[in-house]
Amino acid sequence: MSTTPTPGQSDAAPQLGTARVKRGMAEMLKGGVIMDVVTPEQAKIAEDAGAVAVMALERVPADIRKDGGVARMSDPDMIDGIIDAVSIPVMAKARIGHFVEAQVLQALGVDYVDESEVLTPADETHHIDKWAFTVPFVCGATNLGEALRRIAEGAAMIRSKGEAGTGNVVEATRHMRQIRADIRRLATLDESELFLAAKNLQAPYEIVKEVAATGKLPVVLFTAGGLATPADAAMMMQLGAEGVFVGSGIFKSGDPAKRAAAIVKATTFHDDPDVIAKVSRGLGEPMVGINIDTLPESERYAGRGW
Amino acid sequence: MTVPEPARAVVPEPARAVSPVTVGVFALQGDVREHLAMLEASGARAVPVRRPAELDAVEGLVIPGGESTAMWKLASAFDLFEPVRKRIADGMPAYGSCAGMIMLADRVLDAVPGQETFGGIAMTVRRNAFGRQIDSFEGPIAFDGLDGEDGAEDADSAGTAGTLHGVFIRAPWVEEVGPAVRVTARVTAGPGTGRIVAVRQGALMATSFHPELTRDPRVHGLFVRLVRAAR
């Protein structure tokens, strides 16, 4: 028996691109893994491994480091190919401040834009005004002030920056601990102290007040930058990440399909060492890592953006 | 004539008269926390479910929003898929939002090859039917049976129509339903007008949209009443 409900007063026009549908999209990715892919074939492998989304880019960060030069938005043909290849959401990277790359990505129908320090910044002063878009944005942050500035500009999701393309999780650890510690500190302050806190964080007072009251960011917090193993992913989750981005760590390893599936499982069961031990067996070679202190300042991506 | 007792500490009992129902949220991936909070606000004891033993302890199950492909892969890998399918087939009340609606559908269109669902509701659901994220939207929805006093008793009546705020994110819709399925909401404005976005079949319910992303607990309240009635 199918009955049609009375329409009632429900004929108001639907609203697109609201803060709620942008932030809500990120809520749906929680507990999941988002994987960097450079071809439709890699995107299929990621989907088959249980990724909740893929990040389309022309070179993974490890190759951007190796090749040098200016790193830009991907070729639209490649993004189309990846969108056609998978049924899960497709994200893509735009350069910091490059609002036209973001307009192109929105026109291509990507589901999320990553305004990313991994690409070469296009504006040394301004990030993209993300409120001007229907498509939601994720941005990197190294501390709470940076995260709140991005949210003030319209970011609907935050990730740690880490140090992409190194296979070294130490910077992601630093940024996750920093953001979480900054939030805890804020939550201990008296209301009269929040004005100075906003000044010190260089972030709008209203958002600072909200974080102090709720003890969390108003958007989802993921981790990114240098994760290479299931244990790396699980550690970030235990440090308070709500989900994980893995870049070079999968397709620069010996057995990408197996490693991808293992990282997905370790993210879900991040608090169960028996599961992490089990999925960590027989994964083949991890990507070769880079020690951060051997990187010259100009090759550290986390310093891009402010 | 009886004299009223002096005001001793009389604890109001209605809330304690029945022990709260225990409702699980399928917690391998997705917006689990929001569903847990909504269930608690509706008077249930809400617990995350990632393992078969945790499933055994619940009287009803919510399947959250998220990615249905990831939920399927993870449930299969961790031996949760068959136990959930069996509990639902055996009559456990279940409610799915968005990806959860897909997981409760007997048939899915635009699925990945080999994709399996728990099933239970005799319907065909199309994944991402409203489009990509740039097509995601929110707006009012007329929902039938929302404010019924007892979810189980009015299951076969017309119920009362209430308006609620629908949040649709890369949302599926229902292409067709079997005779046992009651359609409880359709889209009333915009490009998807007329599409089925909420259904109920016995103790199973599904919505294309995400009431857990609003402050309105009535859909979860309806589900908690269904769980209580199934005791």
Side-chain angles (χ1 to χ4, degrees):
Chain A
M1 169 198 66
S2 299
T3 56
T4 305
T6 328
Q9 307 301 311
S10 305
D11 49 0
Q15 293 176 281
L16 301 172
T18 61
R20 179 150 45 194
V21 300
K22 289 175 171 177
R23 294 175 180 187
M25 169 78 218
E27 303 282 357
M28 301 310 145
L29 302 173
K30 283 189 298 194
V33 181
I34 300 164
M35 302 182 191
D36 276 5
V37 298
V38 301
T39 64
E41 293 70 33
Q42 288 186 354
K44 284 299 295 174
I45 291 170
E47 182 175 55
D48 288 346
V52 291
V54 292
M55 175 73 72
L57 67 174
E58 64 174 358
R59 290 175 287 169
V60 293
D63 287 332
I64 293 173
R65 284 188 187 283
K66 201 171 67 187
D67 302 347
V70 173
R72 311 179 178 90
M73 178 190 82
S74 304
D75 181 337
D77 281 343
M78 197 275 290
I79 292 172
D80 282 348
I82 289 171
I83 287 176
D84 290 344
V86 295
S87 66
I88 55 178
V90 176
M91 301 184 167
K93 289 185 193 288
R95 283 179 268 179
I96 289 175
H98 205 314
F99 52 88
V100 174
E101 283 189 350
Q103 289 166 2
V104 170
L105 293 174
Q106 175 168 291
L108 291 173
V110 306
D111 296 295
Y112 239 92
V113 174
D114 184 1
E115 186 182 17
S116 178
E117 70 283 359
V118 170
L119 306 184
T120 310
D123 189 324
E124 294 188 329
T125 318
H126 303 287
H127 282 250
I128 297 170
D129 171 11
K130 293 164 274 288
W131 295 113
F133 289 79
T134 305
V135 69
F137 284 72
V138 55
C139 288
T142 61
N143 57 47
L144 180 61
E146 196 174 2
L148 299 187
R149 287 192 291 280
R150 297 294 85 78
I151 293 167
E153 295 157 0
M157 180 181 190
I158 294 293
R159 56 170 175 76
S160 68
K161 285 183 172 173
E163 196 55 52
T166 61
N168 186 340
V169 81
V170 65
E171 292 300 305
T173 303
R174 189 193 317 281
H175 302 157
M176 289 307 301
R177 283 196 183 277
Q178 184 70 47
I179 293 168
R180 300 267 296 168
D182 290 346
I183 292 173
R184 282 196 299 274
R185 198 169 304 122
L186 201 56
T188 65
L189 297 183
D190 185 85
E191 274 204 32
S192 65
E193 297 168 328
L194 294 177
F195 301 99
L196 178 63
K199 178 190 155 197
N200 291 339
L201 286 166
Q202 297 182 273
Y205 168 73
E206 286 303 327
I207 304 181
V208 169
K209 191 177 162 194
E210 183 182 348
V211 172
T214 60
K216 63 183 283 298
L217 292 181
V219 303
V220 166
L221 173 63
F222 268 46
T223 194
L227 281 70
T229 69
D232 287 350
M235 177 171 157
M236 292 301 117
M237 294 295 286
Q238 289 196 29
L239 284 173
E242 296 180 282
V244 169
F245 286 87
V246 186
S248 320
I250 289 172
F251 289 101
K252 284 289 164 189
S253 74
D255 187 344
K258 196 167 181 192
R259 182 166 295 263
I263 291 175
V264 167
K265 291 171 186 170
T267 300
T268 295
F269 285 92
H270 55 88
D271 54 353
D272 188 332
D274 292 334
V275 171
I276 301 163
K278 189 175 160 206
V279 303
S280 298
R281 293 174 197 275
L283 294 183
E285 284 296 308
M287 74 176 283
V288 178
I290 300 173
N291 286 318
I292 307 294
D293 50 16
T294 65
L295 278 180
E297 201 59 42
S298 62
E299 289 178 24
R300 296 189 191 183
Y301 298 158
R304 296 171 170 178
W306 36 93
Chain B
M1 168 181 169
T2 53
V3 178
E5 290 267 343
R8 282 194 332 178
V10 179
V11 181
E13 281 294 306
R16 318 179 98 256
V18 216
S19 65
V21 289
T22 303
V23 179
V25 178
F26 181 78
L28 295 180
Q29 193 273 314
D31 68 334
V32 175
R33 186 179 61 221
E34 288 71 15
H35 278 289
L36 290 171
M38 277 293 187
L39 290 166
E40 292 279 350
S42 303
R45 200 173 77 84
V47 294
V49 170
R50 289 185 298 172
R51 298 174 175 87
E54 292 161 351
L55 177 67
D56 293 343
V58 302
E59 298 167 79
L61 187 68
V62 170
I63 304 161
E67 281 304 316
S68 59
T69 52
M71 290 180 186
W72 159 54
K73 295 274 180 187
L74 283 164
S76 302
F78 290 99
D79 302 323
L80 196 58
F81 192 87
E82 279 305 322
V84 171
R85 172 142 71 185
K86 183 162 189 319
R87 281 292 304 273
I88 291 171
D90 291 347
M92 175 182 66
Y95 163 48
S97 71
C98 198
M101 170 185 258
I102 294 166
M103 296 303 291
L104 289 176
D106 282 349
R107 292 169 302 278
V108 180
L109 301 175
D110 294 338
V112 300
Q115 183 173 352
E116 295 176 286
T117 63
F118 302 135
I121 301 182
M123 62 178 172
T124 304
V125 168
R126 185 179 293 282
R127 285 180 75 208
N128 305 334
F130 286 96
R132 306 193 64 82
Q133 172 60 15
I134 49 174
D135 306 304
S136 292
F137 64 98
E138 54 182 304
I141 293 291
F143 193 105
D144 189 25
L146 188 61
D147 301 317
E149 277 304 301
D150 187 308
E153 281 175 19
D154 71 6
D156 296 316
S157 73
T160 48
T163 300
L164 56 73
H165 195 73
V167 181
F168 294 81
I169 295 174
R170 283 174 51 94
W173 66 44
V174 181
E175 292 261 332
E176 57 178 16
V177 296
V181 179
R182 177 174 149 208
V183 174
T184 49
R186 292 178 191 265
V187 177
T188 53
T193 299
R195 293 294 180 178
I196 301 169
V197 291
V199 296
R200 187 155 134 200
Q201 178 184 329
L204 303 176
M205 4 182 320
T207 62
S208 300
F209 50 87
H210 296 280
E212 75 278 11
L213 293 183
T214 70
R215 293 173 191 278
D216 182 351
R218 286 178 297 164
V219 173
H220 290 77
L222 172 61
F223 180 61
V224 169
R225 291 199 298 277
L226 285 181
V227 177
R228 194 173 290 135
R231 267 186 166 169

